[in-house]
Amino acid sequence: KAGVTQTPRYLIKTRGQQVTLSCSPISGHRSVSWYQQTPGQGLQFLFEYFSETQRNKGNFPGRFSGRQFSNSRSEMNVSTLELGDSALYLCASSSPGTGGAYEQYFGPGTRLTVT
Amino acid sequence: AQKVTQAQTEISVVEKEDVTLDCVYETRDTTYYLFWYKQPPSGELVFLIRRNSFDEQNEISGRYSWNFQKSTSSFNFTITASQVVDSAVYFCALSGSAGGTSYGKLTFGQGTILTVHP
């Protein structure tokens, strides 16, 4: 099976712009979670989607949003970018999603740099 | 609130030494899950193990072993006869749902940087 894929791998944006990151989960996985990794804050949970519904949300401002499509692919969007949004954004998928915590498989991440 | 603490920021060993990475967690959930992940220099997090709160059996997988002690809220990870390829950042993580159905949120520790010298 192919692993979790994320596009693009690298991105450079300017403050105030918006950005959309994409994640394709492992085939058959219906849960997709997003994390932000920075040197200062470490790995922080952004949100989780299952069957096109957001099930969990971390403590991030409303500028961070996401969605999931019927094929389980997910996108996250960050509007009005700030310098502090520079980070590695990781997507993870897991299966099946109804009770119990199954291991999450991570993609290679998207490295976002905001200048 | 959930919290994971990995007290060791960096560990440096020489090849073939055994090394233990400590992980202490806090949660009010009665059902929860613990994980270890490895992040090599390439950046991708690699799943190593999952343990649920009802299963305190230790586990061994090749050179890796895990010791889960609910009484001390610890889930330590030992690498026996370390190798240079073990050099990576290792993360301990916790997932709990406080009675809900979603465990999709992982709370990570700050990570331990392991360097194995030849």
Side-chain angles (χ1 to χ4, degrees):
Chain A
K1 272 187 181 177
V4 177
T5 58
Q6 292 186 245
T7 57
R9 292 293 311 279
Y10 302 90
L11 209 46
I12 299 175
K13 289 286 189 179
T14 304
R15 264 182 305 177
Q17 288 186 316
Q18 77 164 22
V19 66
T20 299
L21 311 182
S22 181
C23 171
S24 291
I26 291 171
S27 178
H29 285 193
R30 296 167 63 192
S31 172
V32 173
S33 297
W34 288 88
Y35 296 84
Q36 181 196 64
Q37 185 175 24
T38 60
Q41 300 299 317
L43 277 155
Q44 292 186 289
F45 172 78
L46 281 156
F47 26 65
E48 181 213 2
Y49 287 88
F50 177 75
S51 291
E52 302 178 63
T53 301
Q54 187 182 87
R55 289 205 300 191
N56 252 319
K57 190 176 190 309
N59 295 325
F60 279 83
R63 300 185 297 107
F64 291 81
S65 63
R67 60 178 175 167
Q68 186 181 35
F69 302 94
S70 58
N71 61 358
S72 295
R73 191 177 70 84
S74 177
E75 287 181 349
M76 68 162 280
N77 184 77
V78 188
S79 63
T80 320
L81 283 166
E82 300 177 359
L83 293 179
D85 297 333
S86 295
L88 180 66
Y89 289 88
L90 292 161
C91 165
S93 72
S94 66
S95 172
T98 55
Y102 290 81
E103 54 270 22
Q104 296 184 16
Y105 293 92
F106 284 79
T110 293
R111 173 74 64 185
L112 172 64
T113 302
V114 182
T115 62
Chain B
Q2 300 184 335
K3 186 178 178 182
V4 176
T5 302
Q6 294 179 252
Q8 304 142 314
T9 305
E10 288 192 57
I11 299 177
S12 182
V13 299
V14 176
E15 214 170 16
K16 295 195 175 73
E17 279 187 44
D18 297 347
V19 57
T20 295
L21 311 181
D22 298 332
C23 172
V24 173
Y25 61 91
E26 294 175 30
T27 181
R28 292 180 183 170
D29 294 328
T30 53
T31 302
Y32 53 89
Y33 295 79
L34 295 161
F35 302 80
W36 275 94
Y37 283 86
K38 172 182 179 180
Q39 188 175 40
S42 61
E44 192 163 333
L45 280 162
V46 178
F47 165 76
L48 295 177
I49 189 171
R50 175 184 72 125
R51 175 67 71 214
N52 73 49
S53 53
F54 298 111
D55 183 1
E56 285 194 71
Q57 280 189 2
N58 292 333
E59 180 152 340
I60 297 175
S61 175
R63 295 184 297 107
Y64 295 170
S65 63
W66 291 268
N67 179 259
F68 175 32
Q69 292 197 337
K70 219 166 166 179
S71 60
T72 55
S73 297
S74 66
F75 187 43
N76 297 337
F77 172 31
T78 297
I79 302 175
T80 303
S82 59
Q83 299 176 1
V84 173
V85 293
D86 295 327
S87 297
V89 183
Y90 289 86
F91 291 95
C92 180
L94 168 68
S95 176
S97 183
T101 58
S102 171
Y103 291 86
K105 171 185 176 180
L106 290 176
T107 299
F108 284 89
Q110 286 298 99
T112 297
I113 302 171
L114 173 65
T115 304
V116 182
H117 299 281

